[in-house]
Amino acid sequence: MRRGAIGIGTLIVFIAMVLVAAVAAGVIIGTAGYLEQRAQAAGRQTTQEVASGLKVVNVYGYTNATPPSSGTIQRMVILISPNAGSEGIDLSNVKIVLSDGRRLVVYNYSGSFQNAESVKDLFNTTEVPIWNNITNNASFAIAVINDIGSEMQNSHPTLEFGDMVALCIWTTMFEYEGKNGIGPSTKITGKVIPERGAAGVLDFTTPATFSYNVMQLQ
């Protein structure tokens, strides 16, 4: 009887150990699966953050003064396109940050949108009437230069690989020698910041003298 009791006790202990091991294995397997899924999701998000983003192709400034050297840059066009491998970027959530060292201006999307693929002069307010919608406001309008999929629309314009747009802004919030606008030999820094991904960098110094009404700045 004593041997049978010892055997039954040993069996009970053995079964208990097996059950505990099974539960522990289940917890470990479940945790490992959860961590694996989290790692995959984090990897995808990291890849999107690294690959996605904007690049600044060119920046142009405009003064309407005659002669140009007597004026200031009052309007600016920033040409942007997505980085290689970037996902679609909703331009309605983009911010433009611009500073001349004395003033910092943040531009938001105004909702003004125009297809400008056939436009000859981006600074011509007749050809590009969206300029009149953002006069003296800290907002930007979008002129579409190239839309590969022909799918861009004004509510949520999405920039995809191969697309290029011009972000149109007024710079009359800045001041130079009592005149609205950006003057000569002025260091300008800033960024074009998407909702997710790398920002496009703005970093240039305006010419020492304005010889033309339209000038390339970056």
Side-chain angles (χ1 to χ4, degrees):
M1 292 292 294
R2 185 176 298 176
R3 289 182 180 180
I6 293 173
I8 292 172
T10 304
L11 181 61
I12 291 172
V13 172
F14 176 74
I15 293 173
M17 290 177 63
V18 170
L19 290 175
V20 169
V23 171
V27 171
I28 292 172
I29 293 171
T31 303
Y34 173 74
L35 292 176
E36 180 185 5
Q37 293 177 34
R38 287 294 302 272
Q40 290 176 346
R44 285 193 297 269
Q45 292 172 2
T46 302
T47 301
Q48 291 169 358
E49 287 288 341
V50 173
S52 295
L54 296 170
K55 61 181 177 182
V56 175
V57 179
N58 285 116
V59 180
Y60 294 91
Y62 175 81
T63 176
N64 63 352
T66 305
S69 58
S70 65
T72 59
I73 296 173
Q74 296 190 335
R75 284 188 278 161
M76 194 178 292
V77 162
I78 304 169
L79 297 177
I80 63 168
S81 64
N83 290 331
S86 177
E87 292 191 339
I89 297 172
D90 186 351
L91 296 177
S92 65
N93 296 319
V94 162
K95 310 288 184 185
I96 302 174
V97 178
L98 210 62
S99 175
D100 65 350
R102 293 179 298 175
R103 179 169 295 181
L104 179 70
V105 180
V106 179
Y107 296 84
N108 297 287
Y109 179 48
S110 65
S112 297
F113 174 94
Q114 176 183 342
N115 189 320
E117 293 187 30
S118 60
V119 168
K120 297 179 180 179
D121 183 3
L122 281 174
F123 288 108
N124 187 316
T125 55
T126 301
E127 284 192 275
V128 189
I130 54 175
W131 282 110
N132 300 318
N133 299 333
I134 55 172
T135 305
N136 296 325
N137 288 327
S139 58
F140 66 87
I142 295 175
V144 180
I145 306 301
N146 192 35
D147 182 7
I148 293 295
S150 301
E151 298 176 347
M152 213 173 288
Q153 51 186 326
N154 63 344
S155 58
H156 290 279
T158 301
L159 193 68
E160 297 179 339
F161 183 72
D163 295 344
M164 181 184 295
V165 301
L167 307 181
C168 305
I169 62 173
W170 285 83
T171 53
T172 48
M173 283 72 70
F174 298 95
E175 187 175 311
Y176 177 78
E177 294 184 349
K179 295 180 287 187
N180 293 334
I182 299 172
S185 300
T186 302
K187 175 70 172 179
I188 299 294
T189 57
K191 290 182 178 181
V192 182
I193 307 172
E195 185 178 20
R196 183 173 61 186
V201 176
L202 299 167
D203 192 345
F204 58 87
T205 300
T206 58
T209 183
F210 300 156
S211 302
Y212 303 96
N213 293 100
V214 177
M215 59 204 86
Q216 182 174 337
L217 303 174
Q218 180 176 316

